Amino acid sequence: MTADFTRSAQAGARVQAADPAVRDLFGAMAYGQLVAFSQLAGEARKAPTLREGLALSRLAASELANAELLLQRLEELGFAPEEAMEPFVGPVDAFHERTAPADWAESLVKAYVGEGIAVDFFREISAYVDADSRELVQRVATGTARTEFVVGAVRAAIDRDPRLAGRLALWGRRLMGEALNQAQRVAADRDALASLLVGDGLRPGADLVEVSRMLTRITEAHTRRMDALGLAP
C-alpha cells in the first residue's frame, strides 16, 4: 500500500511538473520581470536626483530578484527557463516599444501602473493553478508592489506643474489599453495559458461571468492606482 501511494504521489508530481499552463505562466512572468528590471535600471540613470535614482534602482533590483525566483521554480519543475520565456518575448517587447515613456514623469507612472496591471492579471489567473504555483505568484506579486516613493514623486511633479495631470491621465489609460491588448494576444497564441481561464480536461476554468468579473477587478485596481497618483482613471 505504501509503495502504491508513493508511486501515485510521484506520478502526480510529474503531471504537475509537466503542466504547460504553469510553464507558460511562469515563463511570461519571468520575462516580464527581466524586462522591467532592465527598463527601471535604465530609467534610474535618468532620475533628476540621486535619491530618486536610488529608489528606482531598488525597484529594479526587486524585479530581478522576482525573476530569479520564477526561473528557479521553472528549473525545479523540469522546464528550461529560456524555452519557457521565449514565446513571450514578442508580446512583452511590443508592449514596451509601444509604451516608451517620453519623460521622467511618464516613467514613474508606467513603473507603478503598467506593472500593476500585469501583476493583477497574473494574480487572477493563478487561481486556476496548483497551490504551490499560486503561492509563488502571490509572493512575486507582493514583491513587485510599488512603494510610496512613486506615488509621492508623481504627486510632487503634478504639484510643480499641474498641467502634467491631464497628460499623465491619458498616459495611464494608454498603458491600460496596451496591456489588455497584449494579454489578449498572448491568450490567443498560447493554448496552455488560455486554458487557465477557459478550462480543459484537467481543470474547470472560468465561465464568461467570472471572466467578466476578473476584468472588472483588474479595471477597479487600475482606477485605485490612478486615484492614488492623483490622476483621473
Side-chain angles (χ1 to χ4, degrees), residues 12-26 74 77 79 128-130 133 192-193 195-196 200 202-203:
R14 285 195 296 272
V15 169
Q16 176 180 328
D19 188 345
V22 172
R23 175 203 61 204
D24 279 5
L25 176 60
F26 288 167
L74 281 167
L77 294 175
F79 298 118
Y128 303 100
V129 298
D130 62 275
S133 297
L193 199 56
S195 73
L196 290 178
D200 57 19
L202 299 176
R203 56 174 61 84

Side-chain angles (χ1 to χ4, degrees), residues 51-163:
R51 182 186 67 83
E52 291 170 316
L54 177 60
L56 211 58
S57 294
R58 285 171 172 159
L59 292 180
S62 72
E63 299 283 1
L64 183 59
N66 287 326
E68 291 287 3
L69 289 174
L70 293 161
L71 296 174
Q72 179 180 347
R73 181 61 62 85
L74 281 167
E75 290 181 334
E76 291 171 353
L77 294 175
F79 298 118
E82 296 83 1
E83 293 178 4
M85 291 189 292
E86 181 61 34
F88 307 100
V89 171
V92 172
D93 287 357
F95 170 76
H96 286 288
E97 288 169 4
R98 293 175 63 87
T99 58
D103 55 24
W104 173 248
E106 287 191 3
S107 297
L108 291 175
V109 173
K110 182 177 178 181
Y112 184 71
V113 172
E115 179 70 12
I117 297 168
V119 166
D120 288 339
F121 175 73
F122 289 126
R123 184 188 286 117
E124 287 284 350
I125 65 176
S126 72
Y128 303 100
V129 298
D130 62 275
D132 288 342
S133 297
R134 184 164 55 253
E135 188 276 333
L136 179 57
V137 172
Q138 296 293 335
R139 179 179 175 186
V140 170
T142 301
T144 56
R146 300 303 171 195
T147 66
E148 293 82 1
F149 153 71
V150 174
V151 174
V154 171
R155 283 185 169 271
I158 294 173
D159 288 341
R160 291 191 299 269
D161 182 4
R163 295 173 300 177

Side-chain angles (χ1 to χ4, degrees), residues 152-218:
V154 171
R155 283 185 169 271
I158 294 173
D159 288 341
R160 291 191 299 269
D161 182 4
R163 295 173 300 177
L164 271 177
R167 174 163 66 86
L168 294 180
L170 290 174
W171 177 239
R173 293 186 201 115
R174 179 179 171 189
L175 290 169
M176 181 67 166
E178 292 289 350
L180 291 178
N181 285 339
Q182 293 305 323
Q184 290 172 352
R185 173 184 169 186
V186 168
D189 291 344
R190 302 297 297 177
D191 291 342
L193 199 56
S195 73
L196 290 178
L197 291 178
V198 301
D200 57 19
L202 299 176
R203 56 174 61 84
D207 57 24
L208 291 177
V209 173
E210 179 55 30
V211 170
S212 177
R213 289 172 178 164
M214 180 191 75
L215 293 175
T216 297
R217 289 191 294 269
I218 292 174

